[in-house]
Amino acid sequence: MGITYEDFLDLDYEPTDEDLVCTFRIDPATGMTTEEAASRVASESSNGTWAALQTGADFTDMGATAFSIDGDTIGVAYPAGLFEPGNMPQILSCIAGNIMGMKAVDTIRLMDCEWPEAIVSSFDGPLFGSSVREEIFGVDDRPITATVPKPKVGLSTKSHAQVGYDAWLGGVDLLKDDENLTDQAFNPFADRLTQSLALRDDAEDETGEKKSYLINVTADTQTMLDRVDEVAEQGGEYVMVDIITAGWAGLQTVRERTEKHGMAIHAHRAMHAAFDRMPTHGVSMRVLAQISRLLGVDQLHTGTAGLGKLANEDTVGINEWMRSDLYGTTDVLPVASGGLHPGLLPDLLDATGTNVCVQLGGGIHGHPDGTRAGAVALRAAIDGYVDGKSIQEVADETSELAVALDKWGTETPR
């Protein structure tokens, strides 16, 4: 019996609870119908090829089925048995592999996935998720806050740690490395870790609040594991990983190590736009967020609902998915970052809710009166929002916020 493209299209098929269901947006190549293109997507991403195939009696059919077509949107169902449990690279090699370059489509975008329990349960998921707010910082009624020292690379270790100290004293919860900063000569990893955590301890003593540090451990996988161990030995609660550039397999291995230390993972999404910026091609941020949750990040950058400097995206929808029930898997704390300042906080929190992490860089360090004043302005804006006050009411009570509003108003930067 032969296998042909037509075997991968069945518009009467009803996906089962054990299928991984993927939604794609496609633009068929010239001269090809949507049905023909859909069958080729299902074929190439499972067990078909361009030529008719002969199979024997012992063949196990792991073919995907293109089961729905709605304009340029198609649904493809994959049997769970096609995938190795706990192996995200293998899964993505199927659902976002060769099909991204096949000539049957001019463009193809993986828009969304519905993950069956059999696949979800094969991954660890987050250790903390949004509970980091309470378990690490002892708060559950406000967003936690973070900042990256600016300039984001080039500061000496001493200056980097001092910026963190000033921000902590002003009310920020988390010092965060930039995605570009790892172990450069001007600011070595080991020195930065030691000096920053020492000033963190001082800031905790002075403020009476818990503080922490998102140090970037991104590197080859073995180096990341060594750095995770080093952070744990010095009393760090978090590590940060550039999850796209480090790779899904590397993230998965780091997740196993951080659980041994009871540490949280802050996920930066640098390079995500290479996959998700073009609306007609690639992999959506929604899917990247889903993968990140399965693999176990606790905090993930998801955008600013169009209020910051980065391109607009479905921040609210992504955040809702990350908080949704997924067979009991722990949720993920969304991180809003990229061109934010205190004047944007009311609109941001109206869109995202308060169960988030809010990160400001230039919106703190660009304050006319310096980093500490910028941190005070941020914290005042957040605390005032939680208390139901308008930002102008809070500015009338907090001079640092008034100065920030005079400088930036409520305008979105570009």
Side-chain angles (χ1 to χ4, degrees):
M1 179 180 181
I3 299 177
T4 63
Y5 284 130
E6 288 74 18
D7 295 316
F8 296 89
L9 178 69
D10 183 357
L11 298 183
D12 292 324
Y13 180 76
E14 293 287 339
T16 73
D17 292 340
E18 296 181 352
D19 288 340
L20 169 58
V21 177
C22 296
T23 301
F24 296 92
R25 180 185 296 154
I26 65 171
D27 179 15
T30 301
M32 185 164 290
T33 68
T34 302
E35 288 79 4
E36 290 170 334
S39 68
R40 282 159 174 77
V41 170
S43 169
E44 181 62 34
S45 56
S46 59
N47 65 352
T49 189
W50 62 271
L53 301 175
Q54 300 300 315
T55 59
D58 60 349
F59 172 68
T60 301
D61 187 4
M62 287 290 115
T65 303
F67 67 91
S68 70
I69 297 176
D70 183 7
D72 63 357
T73 301
I74 67 170
V76 179
Y78 298 85
L82 177 64
F83 307 113
E84 178 185 351
N87 188 337
M88 187 57 70
Q90 185 268 335
I91 293 173
L92 292 176
S93 292
C94 294
I95 66 174
N98 284 348
I99 57 173
M100 292 294 162
M102 61 192 303
K103 292 193 293 185
V105 292
D106 287 338
T107 59
I108 178 170
R109 182 173 176 86
L110 177 55
M111 300 293 295
D112 198 3
C113 295
E114 297 176 30
W115 301 88
E117 185 173 9
I119 291 178
V120 172
S121 63
S122 71
F123 295 98
D124 289 333
L127 183 60
F128 293 97
S130 64
S131 72
V132 295
R133 293 193 306 158
E134 186 167 7
E135 294 194 35
I136 295 178
F137 299 100
V139 300
D140 61 5
D141 60 345
R142 66 166 175 86
I144 58 173
T145 57
T147 191
V148 176
K150 301 291 182 177
K152 55 188 184 177
V153 291
L155 292 174
S156 68
T157 301
K158 181 178 179 180
S159 295
H160 182 279
Q162 182 63 47
V163 170
Y165 176 71
D166 292 340
W168 281 321
L169 290 187
V172 166
D173 301 301
L174 285 158
L175 171 65
K176 176 190 167 295
D177 284 352
D178 187 71
E179 67 273 14
N180 302 333
L181 182 63
T182 53
D183 187 29
Q184 291 96 316
F186 59 83
N187 193 350
F189 178 90
D191 294 345
R192 187 170 74 253
L193 173 64
T194 300
Q195 293 184 35
S196 296
L197 290 183
L199 288 184
R200 175 206 63 178
D201 293 345
D202 291 345
E204 287 182 344
D205 290 341
E206 293 187 46
T207 63
E209 294 183 340
K210 180 65 182 174
K211 308 294 182 181
S212 195
Y213 177 28
L214 306 173
I215 188 165
N216 188 5
V217 301
T218 304
D220 65 273
T221 302
Q222 185 56 56
T223 300
M224 288 196 290
L225 296 179
D226 292 342
R227 289 176 180 173
V228 169
D229 292 342
E230 188 175 356
V231 175
E233 289 168 4
Q234 296 202 38
E237 298 87 359
Y238 278 93
V239 294
M240 171 182 149
V241 180
D242 297 337
I243 59 173
I244 307 292
T245 55
W248 302 118
L251 170 61
Q252 205 166 345
T253 304
V254 167
R255 168 65 178 82
E256 293 172 359
R257 184 62 60 89
T258 54
E259 181 163 12
K260 293 180 180 179
H261 297 301
M263 299 168 69
I265 297 173
H266 179 95
H268 196 287
R269 59 179 183 162
M271 198 180 173
H272 75 97
F275 299 94
D276 68 21
R277 180 158 186 170
M278 301 304 294
T280 58
H281 193 75
V283 180
S284 73
M285 184 60 212
R286 182 182 181 89
V287 173
L288 297 177
Q290 293 170 356
I291 297 164
S292 302
R293 182 178 179 182
L294 266 61
L295 295 185
V297 308
D298 298 288
Q299 299 178 185
L300 174 67
H301 293 247
T302 61
T304 60
L307 295 168
K309 66 183 180 181
L310 303 178
N312 195 12
E313 56 195 354
D314 183 23
T315 300
V316 173
I318 293 168
N319 291 357
E320 288 177 349
W321 188 92
M322 292 201 303
R323 298 184 182 115
S324 66
D325 178 52
L326 186 65
Y327 312 110
T329 302
T330 305
D331 66 354
V332 177
L333 184 71
V335 180
S337 66
L340 294 174
H341 57 73
L344 298 173
L345 264 293
D347 288 342
L348 175 72
L349 297 179
D350 281 348
T352 65
T354 57
N355 188 14
V356 295
C357 175
V358 176
Q359 178 187 307
L360 274 64
I364 285 180
H365 310 300
H367 191 284
D369 298 321
T371 291
R372 185 170 180 177
V376 170
L378 167 62
R379 182 65 177 270
I382 284 179
D383 289 345
Y385 181 92
V386 171
D387 291 339
K389 298 179 180 179
S390 72
I391 196 163
Q392 192 56 56
E393 287 179 286
V394 182
D396 291 341
E397 302 167 354
T398 309
S399 61
E400 293 89 347
L401 179 57
V403 170
L405 293 183
D406 285 342
K407 183 174 180 63
W408 293 303
T410 58
E411 297 298 316
T412 298
R414 293 187 64 184

